[in-house]
Amino acid sequence: MNKRNIAIIAEIVPILSTVICYLLIRFAPGTGVASKIVSITVLLAFLGFVFFFVGRALCKGDKVVKILGIFDFLSTLFIVVLYVVAFFAVGL
């Protein structure tokens, strides 16, 4: 396995975590197993910016890594917006 493949796999983790988190929150709220999976996927999705820096350090010039890095930042932004919406929903 070369550095490019490791960088791509590392950058895909938060993207998949964001999708899984959204689907579980949307379609399986309140179940015991789903809530544990959601907590893990939220953490991995929130740390998308860390995976961006890891992927960037491993393979700087690759276009796929750059595009996945943008999605990593979007996954972090999604989790922040999710918590802001939850904060306002509880506060109102």
Side-chain angles (χ1 to χ4, degrees):
M1 236 178 169
N2 58 10
K3 289 183 179 182
R4 180 181 184 265
N5 291 340
I6 294 171
I8 289 173
I9 291 170
E11 297 233 3
I12 288 176
V13 169
I15 299 167
L16 289 178
S17 295
T18 304
V19 172
I20 292 169
C21 172
Y22 174 75
L23 291 175
L24 286 176
I25 288 173
R26 182 76 177 129
F27 297 115
T31 60
V33 176
S35 65
K36 291 179 182 178
I37 294 173
V38 166
S39 63
I40 293 169
T41 56
V42 163
L43 179 65
L44 287 174
F46 179 71
L47 294 176
F49 66 93
V50 174
F51 288 101
F52 166 76
F53 290 123
V54 169
R56 193 75 132 149
L58 289 174
C59 190
K60 283 188 179 182
D62 194 37
K63 286 186 179 183
V64 174
V65 174
K66 288 181 182 180
I67 292 170
L68 289 174
I70 293 169
F71 286 122
D72 287 342
F73 274 116
L74 289 177
S75 69
T76 302
L77 182 67
F78 172 76
I79 298 301
V80 170
V81 168
L82 179 74
Y83 273 97
V84 168
V85 168
F87 177 74
F88 282 128
V90 171
L92 297 176

